[in-house]
Amino acid sequence: MSQKPSIPRGTRDFSPVEMLRRNYIFDTIRRTFSLYGYLPLETPAMENLTTLLGKYGEEGDKLLFRILNSGDFLSDIGQEELPAIAASELSSRISEKGLRYDLTVPFARYVVQHRDEITFPFRRYQIQPVWRADRPQKGRYREFFQCDVDVIGSDSLLNEFELIQIINRIFNELKIKVVIKINNRKILSGIAEVVGEKQRITDITVAIDKLDKIGRDGVRKELIDRGISAEAVARLEPVINLSGSTETKLNELEKVLSASETGMKGIAEMRELFGYISGDSFGSEIELDLTLARGLNYYTGAIIEVKSLDAAIGSVCGGGRYDDLTGIFGLPGVSGVGVSFGADRIYDVMLHLNLFPPQTGSATGVLVINFGREELPELLRITASLRNAGIPSEMYPDPVKLKKQFAYADACKIPLVIIAGSEEIKNRQATVKNMSSGAQTTISLSELPAYIKKWGNVAS
Amino acid sequence: MSQKPSIPRGTRDFSPVEMLRRNYIFDTIRRTFSLYGYLPLETPAMENLTTLLGKYGEEGDKLLFRILNSGDFLSDIGQEELPAIAASELSSRISEKGLRYDLTVPFARYVVQHRDEITFPFRRYQIQPVWRADRPQKGRYREFFQCDVDVIGSDSLLNEFELIQIINRIFNELKIKVVIKINNRKILSGIAEVVGEKQRITDITVAIDKLDKIGRDGVRKELIDRGISAEAVARLEPVINLSGSTETKLNELEKVLSASETGMKGIAEMRELFGYISGDSFGSEIELDLTLARGLNYYTGAIIEVKSLDAAIGSVCGGGRYDDLTGIFGLPGVSGVGVSFGADRIYDVMLHLNLFPPQTGSATGVLVINFGREELPELLRITASLRNAGIPSEMYPDPVKLKKQFAYADACKIPLVIIAGSEEIKNRQATVKNMSSGAQTTISLSELPAYIKKWGNVAS
């Protein structure tokens, strides 16, 4: 039974080299979340379809991966019924579970389900894969990781401020230069209100959200197509085009939005948030971007999006405040705010800009050459002494030709090789070969672990 | 649209407290794998059904979670065909992908698919969830994690020895007392041969594998039921019942199996492996267990199973050598050996025996009390100074009553609370309260991070 093996379209294997790099990103993100007092949470890959359906719009429902009920999944459907059933109906009869589409809805579900055990404000992070049946293309996968951090149960803007600190620290540590764009849904609502299209806030934000992709003319056309009056579009444009400092923009906006209570509240929130920001120092650029809309319609306050300044790749992080996410599951009135880091895009940016530190290329520090049965007991002791000193080490498992063992170290990018043949062992010594420089040093066995540790420090 | 939220049967949410404990296990396992020179690998949650089907026996095929094809999945099936199609056939027509059932088959698939990029011997570890549509029950879940470590492309028994070192180190670090049971499929084959049932090796191993569950009488009955002759069963029993030291057992076996080349090879392998083992020191018990069979029929050499000595919970780790796992995917003759750690069972054992260190209960070290607008700038600086010193810290986001903020620290098991009101700030001081002892210390702001770090060391 021979088959040509492959994996489903839009999914990926991650080789050791890729995994070491990915873990460098995940570790940086996880360490920072933890440093800011957020705690880990995980939810199952499968959720009930009732949890997922209707939460991501019509398009999202179609992109859910559904799990076939196990066992005799047709047993409840009469054979005479089958011909009359459309695919969409059959699907809902033979499938009750789906793969998680994002981490936000499962988080909302978790909070409602466990409301009695949770101490609010609840600060959690969640780093897990999500699945979407999107058409695969460059940079878009059917399985990808999200790294979410949220606090729920507090409406203080200090939470938004803290998330911006987290974003800044993570991208500083990864050495990715970014701009953190901030806007506020209440300001967008206020604008919709004063241009006379209060009910059309979703259409307006969806159109503005495409500004980067389709340009100003495209947005204008899209707004008209969505039925926004030409007059309203004309009144909208100068506001979207506001420029200058944050202070200038907010002052101008204040004049325009004075009649909208919601709009004025948005301005006050932005003043407070940018007040915190101006009192701190950031490596990243931070700006108020009135064209930032973000498509998801559960946002109600601050919205945040992060872009790499050196790679044209879309956003690498985004999020915002939601005042009623848990309402759909029966727990209204709990405000939260969170952002999500796109690990796959961050990976692509770092690879493109060559930002991975060299040591992520190999986790194993030392290969001990296998000379065969006679030297074996001593070689096992040497290998054990290195591991006991915390040095990731391996011994070649077979006593094959030295050339092959060195080629293995080379191919696996193992930086150091230890040569301890019968002669060296007799003298209680070993030779350490640096695979990149070719330099060799002979050292006593008792000092070997300390020497390697020192070398490791010098190298990193 | 209010719903009572829940998750699918047999799946679990992991709360922060559970996650911190689980991460303690995963970190220990990952660190040890890495210390022994194994590198991380990840494969997609979804595999093509052609990769998965037929690899786990008939029972396994039924336990696969299948993914419904996206889009109009019935389009290829004529409506007039539908009534005639049985569930099993329909399922194969509307579903091409399944969730991974274990990590071994995806690993074999990966090795064959990427054979040209891989340097052999290939040492990889893989820590990912797997899914099985088993009937959920206590300790058995439909989503659970496996932690696999394998080396493929080397038939040296030093690999088996190294895996036993890894097992020993991991359980020592987790403080779980275990017995590592070892047997060899070649010995079992040899036994089947000399009792005259060479072709029935699978029936014999499957029956012997149940010894723990159904006892000696049960195994005897099962062997007879499976069509093994009463004479063969009678000849089998004394071999299975062999006792004494490893040396004694192997010497006795050697007499019985002298006519079986395979059996004698198995004995030689065990002599070599136990030779390595006796030259090292282990915290765990290690024994040759001739009744150990392990059900999976791809094993061809050493087989390994690990049991907790203090908790009756089945095996916490197991594996063995396979000489032709990649053959099913078109790459024959590549020998490998590996073991898999069951994180969920290890978790249950550690919880039952109270083995988790107390600090896994909370990752956040400090809560800074929020006194309000006036103190805020200084409180933000204090929080930042702690984080910059690497201390996981948070400030309560709202300036609510102190009682509520202390109750939060208590509920979240945050060990230290920092009180810096206007009076303390004026004196450039803060009070540190130890939440478990109630003790309070006043300290200058400049010394605060160093003091907390020291306290943290004392506490852990």
Side-chain angles (χ1 to χ4, degrees):
Chain A
M1 184 180 47
S2 176
Q3 316 161 332
K4 185 181 178 325
S6 66
I7 51 176
R9 262 182 355 122
T11 69
R12 293 162 292 170
D13 286 320
F14 296 111
S15 71
V17 171
E18 291 165 316
M19 278 303 296
L20 292 167
R21 289 185 186 137
R22 287 173 68 84
N23 285 344
Y24 175 75
I25 296 173
F26 288 127
D27 289 346
T28 302
I29 291 175
R30 193 179 291 116
R31 192 175 57 243
T32 307
F33 288 168
S34 164
L35 195 57
Y36 280 74
Y38 289 80
L39 298 176
L41 178 78
E42 283 187 9
T43 61
M46 298 186 268
E47 292 274 354
N48 292 321
L49 281 174
T50 49
T51 299
L52 301 175
L53 286 169
K55 308 305 188 298
Y56 308 103
E58 230 175 277
E59 194 54 31
D61 282 357
K62 283 189 201 142
L63 299 183
L64 291 173
F65 277 111
R66 290 154 192 252
I67 315 257
L68 208 49
N69 294 345
S70 39
D72 186 6
F73 57 84
L74 284 178
S75 60
D76 285 347
I77 303 176
Q79 285 283 336
E80 69 289 354
E81 266 194 85
L82 262 181
I85 296 181
S88 61
E89 197 199 330
L90 184 59
S91 144
S92 73
R93 302 269 297 263
I94 63 180
S95 152
E96 283 160 9
K97 293 181 286 289
L99 293 179
R100 126 187 106 221
Y101 181 89
D102 72 358
L103 303 178
T104 307
V105 167
F107 174 53
R109 191 267 310 147
Y110 177 88
V111 168
V112 178
Q113 192 176 333
H114 299 269
R115 62 215 275 183
D116 297 332
E117 306 143 37
I118 293 173
T119 307
F120 293 97
F122 182 47
R123 302 153 69 85
R124 85 87 174 80
Y125 69 84
Q126 193 168 352
I127 299 179
Q128 291 190 279
V130 301
W131 295 270
R132 296 182 186 178
D134 243 323
R135 201 163 55 81
Q137 53 181 261
K138 189 174 172 345
R140 192 203 279 162
Y141 307 102
R142 291 185 147 189
E143 174 180 58
F144 57 98
F145 270 76
Q146 292 191 332
C147 312
D148 279 25
V149 58
D150 290 80
V151 51
I152 194 162
S154 159
D155 53 15
S156 166
L157 287 162
L158 287 172
N159 297 302
E160 275 85 340
F161 176 53
E162 189 172 74
L163 291 175
I164 289 161
Q165 290 180 311
I166 288 174
I167 292 169
N168 177 67
R169 185 184 285 255
I170 286 173
F171 288 110
N172 279 357
E173 293 210 358
L174 295 175
K175 302 199 189 334
I176 301 176
K177 292 199 192 79
V178 296
V179 54
I180 304 173
K181 292 163 179 266
I182 305 174
N183 198 6
N184 193 299
R185 268 294 168 85
K186 294 191 182 74
I187 291 179
L188 292 171
S189 294
I191 294 171
E193 207 177 315
V194 300
V195 303
E197 298 277 9
K198 187 176 172 181
Q199 307 309 323
R200 311 302 297 278
I201 171 70
T202 303
D203 285 312
I204 292 175
T205 51
V206 167
I208 294 178
D209 197 41
K210 297 184 180 167
L211 185 64
D212 263 16
K213 284 181 198 149
I214 61 179
R216 293 191 186 275
D217 289 344
V219 170
R220 194 179 302 121
K221 185 172 176 308
E222 169 117 9
L223 285 166
I224 300 282
D225 287 352
R226 283 175 176 267
I228 308 296
S229 73
E231 194 197 342
V233 173
R235 275 197 277 168
L236 199 56
E237 291 199 338
V239 186
I240 302 294
N241 290 336
L242 273 182
S243 64
S245 70
T246 302
E247 192 53 29
T248 309
K249 287 179 191 167
L250 289 175
N251 287 341
E252 285 300 312
L253 263 183
E254 207 159 39
K255 293 177 204 160
V256 181
L257 299 185
S258 60
S260 161
E261 199 186 326
T262 306
M264 292 303 281
K265 183 146 197 314
I267 292 173
E269 287 180 6
M270 288 297 95
R271 282 201 198 285
E272 182 179 341
L273 179 55
F274 276 92
Y276 297 141
I277 291 169
S278 66
D280 202 349
S281 62
F282 288 91
S284 314
E285 291 180 21
I286 303 182
E287 64 173 48
L288 173 65
D289 181 352
L290 297 170
T291 72
L292 177 64
R294 291 192 69 74
L296 293 169
N297 58 21
Y298 51 68
Y299 292 124
T300 51
I303 44 181
I304 301 167
E305 199 162 273
V306 184
K307 295 202 163 187
S308 160
L309 289 171
D310 299 320
I313 200 161
S315 78
V316 286
C317 174
R321 177 168 290 276
Y322 40 84
D323 281 337
D324 198 27
L325 190 64
T326 57
I328 43 174
F329 296 116
L331 182 66
V334 185
S335 186
V337 58
V339 294
S340 181
F341 291 77
D344 296 275
R345 284 208 180 149
I346 292 173
Y347 184 96
D348 290 347
V349 168
M350 292 188 66
L351 204 61
H352 178 65
L353 300 175
N354 203 16
L355 295 177
F356 285 108
Q359 66 267 32
T360 65
S362 171
T364 306
V366 176
L367 175 73
V368 177
I369 296 290
N370 185 339
F371 281 93
R373 187 157 296 271
E374 200 180 316
E375 293 82 1
L376 192 56
E378 192 59 48
L379 296 173
L380 287 172
R381 274 193 289 273
I382 291 172
T383 313
S385 74
L386 297 173
R387 288 169 176 162
N388 287 336
I391 302 161
S393 310
E394 61 184 273
M395 184 176 71
Y396 199 88
D398 305 274
V400 296
K401 286 192 179 141
L402 290 199
K403 197 179 160 189
K404 188 169 178 193
Q405 298 190 46
F406 276 103
Y408 171 83
D410 214 38
C412 295
K413 297 195 173 56
I414 299 173
L416 296 179
V417 169
I418 291 187
I419 305 147
S422 54
E423 203 56 30
E424 281 96 345
I425 290 175
K426 202 163 48 182
N427 298 324
R428 308 297 304 148
Q429 288 183 325
T431 297
V432 182
K433 178 169 180 177
N434 179 328
M435 289 298 287
S436 60
S437 72
Q440 297 196 169
T441 313
T442 299
I443 195 116
S444 80
L445 291 183
S446 58
E447 291 168 51
L448 189 61
Y451 175 80
I452 304 253
K453 280 198 112 159
K454 204 173 132 203
W455 191 94
N457 288 338
V458 170
S460 67
Chain B
M1 183 178 49
S2 175
Q3 314 161 331
K4 187 184 176 322
S6 65
I7 51 176
R9 261 182 355 123
T11 69
R12 292 163 293 169
D13 287 320
F14 296 112
S15 71
V17 171
E18 290 164 318
M19 279 301 298
L20 292 167
R21 288 185 186 138
R22 286 173 68 84
N23 285 344
Y24 175 75
I25 295 172
F26 288 128
D27 290 346
T28 302
I29 290 175
R30 192 180 290 116
R31 191 174 59 244
T32 307
F33 289 168
S34 165
L35 195 59
Y36 280 76
Y38 290 80
L39 297 176
L41 177 78
E42 283 189 8
T43 61
M46 297 186 269
E47 293 275 352
N48 292 322
L49 280 176
T50 49
T51 299
L52 300 176
L53 285 169
K55 308 304 187 297
Y56 307 104
E58 229 173 278
E59 194 53 29
D61 283 356
K62 283 189 201 145
L63 299 184
L64 291 174
F65 277 111
R66 291 152 189 252
I67 315 260
L68 207 51
N69 294 344
S70 38
D72 185 8
F73 57 84
L74 284 178
S75 60
D76 285 348
I77 304 177
Q79 284 285 336
E80 70 288 354
E81 264 194 87
L82 263 181
I85 296 180
S88 62
E89 196 198 331
L90 184 60
S91 144
S92 73
R93 301 270 297 263
I94 63 181
S95 156
E96 283 161 8
K97 294 182 284 290
L99 293 180
R100 109 187 119 226
Y101 181 90
D102 73 358
L103 303 177
T104 307
V105 167
F107 174 53
R109 191 267 309 146
Y110 177 89
V111 168
V112 178
Q113 191 178 335
H114 299 270
R115 61 215 273 182
D116 298 331
E117 306 142 37
I118 293 173
T119 307
F120 293 96
F122 182 47
R123 301 153 70 85
R124 84 86 175 80
Y125 68 84
Q126 193 167 351
I127 300 178
Q128 290 190 279
V130 302
W131 295 270
R132 297 181 186 179
D134 243 323
R135 201 163 55 82
Q137 51 180 262
K138 191 175 172 345
R140 192 202 279 164
Y141 308 102
R142 291 185 147 188
E143 173 180 60
F144 58 97
F145 270 76
Q146 291 191 333
C147 312
D148 278 24
V149 58
D150 289 80
V151 50
I152 194 162
S154 160
D155 54 15
S156 166
L157 287 164
L158 286 173
N159 297 302
E160 275 86 338
F161 175 52
E162 189 172 74
L163 291 175
I164 288 161
Q165 289 181 312
I166 288 175
I167 292 169
N168 177 66
R169 186 183 285 257
I170 286 172
F171 288 110
N172 278 358
E173 293 211 357
L174 295 175
K175 304 201 188 332
I176 301 176
K177 293 200 192 78
V178 296
V179 53
I180 305 173
K181 292 163 180 267
I182 306 174
N183 198 6
N184 193 301
R185 269 293 168 88
K186 294 189 182 76
I187 291 179
L188 292 172
S189 294
I191 294 172
E193 208 178 314
V194 299
V195 302
E197 298 278 6
K198 187 176 174 180
Q199 307 310 322
R200 313 301 297 280
I201 171 71
T202 303
D203 284 312
I204 292 175
T205 52
V206 166
I208 294 178
D209 198 40
K210 297 183 181 169
L211 185 63
D212 262 15
K213 284 180 200 150
I214 61 178
R216 294 192 183 273
D217 289 343
V219 169
R220 192 178 304 124
K221 185 172 178 307
E222 170 118 8
L223 285 165
I224 300 283
D225 287 352
R226 284 176 175 268
I228 309 296
S229 71
E231 194 197 344
V233 173
R235 274 197 277 167
L236 200 56
E237 292 198 340
V239 186
I240 302 294
N241 290 338
L242 273 181
S243 62
S245 71
T246 300
E247 192 54 31
T248 309
K249 287 180 190 167
L250 289 175
N251 287 341
E252 285 301 311
L253 264 182
E254 208 159 38
K255 293 178 203 161
V256 181
L257 299 185
S258 59
S260 160
E261 198 184 329
T262 306
M264 291 305 278
K265 184 148 197 314
I267 292 173
E269 288 179 7
M270 287 298 96
R271 282 201 197 282
E272 182 179 342
L273 180 55
F274 275 91
Y276 297 141
I277 291 169
S278 65
D280 202 348
S281 61
F282 289 91
S284 314
E285 291 180 21
I286 304 181
E287 65 173 49
L288 173 65
D289 180 352
L290 296 170
T291 71
L292 177 65
R294 291 190 70 75
L296 292 168
N297 57 22
Y298 50 69
Y299 292 123
T300 50
I303 43 181
I304 301 167
E305 200 162 272
V306 184
K307 296 203 165 189
S308 158
L309 288 172
D310 299 319
I313 200 160
S315 78
V316 287
C317 174
R321 177 168 291 276
Y322 40 86
D323 281 337
D324 198 28
L325 190 64
T326 58
I328 43 174
F329 296 116
L331 182 66
V334 185
S335 186
V337 58
V339 294
S340 181
F341 291 77
D344 295 274
R345 284 208 182 149
I346 292 173
Y347 183 96
D348 290 346
V349 169
M350 292 186 67
L351 204 60
H352 178 64
L353 300 176
N354 203 16
L355 294 177
F356 286 108
Q359 67 265 33
T360 65
S362 171
T364 306
V366 176
L367 175 73
V368 178
I369 296 290
N370 186 338
F371 281 94
R373 189 158 293 274
E374 200 182 315
E375 293 83 1
L376 191 58
E378 193 58 49
L379 296 173
L380 286 171
R381 275 192 288 276
I382 291 172
T383 313
S385 73
L386 298 174
R387 288 168 176 162
N388 288 336
I391 302 160
S393 311
E394 61 184 275
M395 186 175 69
Y396 199 88
D398 306 274
V400 296
K401 287 196 177 132
L402 291 199
K403 197 180 160 190
K404 190 172 178 190
Q405 299 191 44
F406 277 102
Y408 170 84
D410 213 39
C412 295
K413 296 194 174 61
I414 299 174
L416 296 179
V417 169
I418 292 186
I419 305 147
S422 53
E423 203 56 31
E424 281 96 346
I425 290 174
K426 203 163 46 181
N427 299 324
R428 310 295 305 146
Q429 289 182 325
T431 298
V432 182
K433 178 170 181 177
N434 180 326
M435 289 298 286
S436 60
S437 72
Q440 299 197 169
T441 314
T442 299
I443 196 119
S444 80
L445 291 183
S446 58
E447 291 169 50
L448 189 60
Y451 175 80
I452 305 251
K453 280 197 112 158
K454 206 174 132 201
W455 192 93
N457 289 339
V458 170
S460 68

